[in-house]
Amino acid sequence: SDDLPAYDAIGYQYLMAGNGLFVRTETRFFTAIVPVKRAIVRGLPLLKGRFRLRVPKLPESLLTAVFADARLARRPDGGLNEVLYQFHHDGQTVQLKKPPQEATAISVTSTTSNSTDENILCDLHSHGNMDAFWSETDDMDERNGRLYAVVGKLDSDKPEMRLRVGIYGYWMSLPVTALFADNSHPIDLHQPPKKEKTI
């Protein structure tokens, strides 16, 4: 049901429902419930994954700036390197930052240790002209309680983007419009969850 108990965890908590195990978190930026494992648990009500942003959506101009800058990350052969960006939020305003990083055509790594920075609302990295997808490396790296995005096909007339919320190693796909206002620039590769059968 929608009448969940009050959230009282320090980082996250697990919820058992009639359709499986979920993980729940509340940060100063968002609240989220993410499916962990589907199962039939008799006697419990069903639960759905959910996400709610607690701060205003980010302006599309920031996303436009990301695409413009990522298209400039050229190697000598003209190909694109990956680039990492971070959206920092101080509670009032948001800033787009590009941390010191080491990048190649297939990887990008921040050279600063800010993975636990509580002001980071979203990490976004580019895939150059490759598809926007979540790699195994992304799954290993993106293990904080924040939003994550990836963009790809930057030189095409139809660049792509994916967005997901992460809760310490569990993720749920979100539409780009869950974070960015009036977004019409990239193709959103969000895949909504399949409709669940009634148990």
Side-chain angles (χ1 to χ4, degrees):
S1 75
D2 288 330
D3 298 325
L4 295 174
Y7 182 80
D8 58 0
I10 295 174
Y12 58 94
Q13 62 184 196
Y14 290 102
L15 300 174
M16 182 65 75
N19 51 340
L21 182 66
F22 292 74
V23 64
R24 175 190 189 192
T25 194
E26 292 190 8
T27 74
R28 61 195 180 103
F29 298 132
F30 63 83
T31 65
I33 297 174
V34 172
V36 172
K37 184 70 175 176
R38 299 294 182 190
I40 296 174
V41 183
R42 294 175 181 164
L44 295 179
L46 302 182
L47 189 61
K48 292 182 180 179
R50 61 183 78 166
F51 172 83
R52 182 175 67 85
L53 195 64
R54 287 179 148 176
V55 294
K57 291 185 179 183
L58 306 188
E60 186 181 2
S61 59
L62 293 179
L63 192 55
T64 301
V66 163
F67 276 88
D69 186 77
R71 290 186 179 108
L72 300 177
R74 300 283 172 182
R75 302 188 305 276
D77 65 2
L80 288 168
N81 279 336
E82 294 193 2
V83 190
L84 172 66
Y85 303 91
Q86 294 175 326
F87 297 89
H88 289 248
H89 205 302
D90 65 6
Q92 299 293 325
T93 59
V94 63
Q95 286 186 314
L96 173 62
K97 296 183 180 182
K98 186 162 65 171
Q101 54 197 264
E102 294 178 353
T104 70
I106 58 171
S107 68
V108 61
T109 305
S110 174
T111 57
T112 61
S113 178
N114 65 353
S115 63
T116 58
D117 187 336
E118 294 183 357
N119 287 329
I120 299 175
L121 167 61
C122 178
D123 282 340
L124 182 152
H125 72 281
S126 67
H127 273 183
N129 285 318
M130 296 186 296
D131 296 342
F133 66 96
W134 304 114
S135 68
E136 290 183 9
T137 301
D138 296 336
D139 289 347
M140 291 298 296
D141 291 344
E142 299 176 352
R143 292 185 170 264
N144 287 307
R146 67 178 63 151
L147 294 161
Y148 297 99
V150 59
V151 297
K153 293 190 176 179
L154 295 179
D155 281 338
S156 75
D157 58 352
K158 294 181 178 179
E160 300 175 344
M161 183 170 180
R162 290 184 190 271
L163 177 69
R164 66 182 178 178
V165 59
I167 305 179
Y168 306 102
Y170 302 106
W171 305 275
M172 182 173 67
S173 176
L174 297 173
V176 174
T177 52
L179 179 61
F180 292 95
D182 303 321
N183 174 56
S184 59
H185 187 67
I187 294 176
D188 186 355
L189 298 181
H190 167 62
Q191 295 177 330
K194 295 178 182 177
K195 189 172 182 181
E196 293 191 9
K197 297 177 182 178
T198 302
I199 299 175

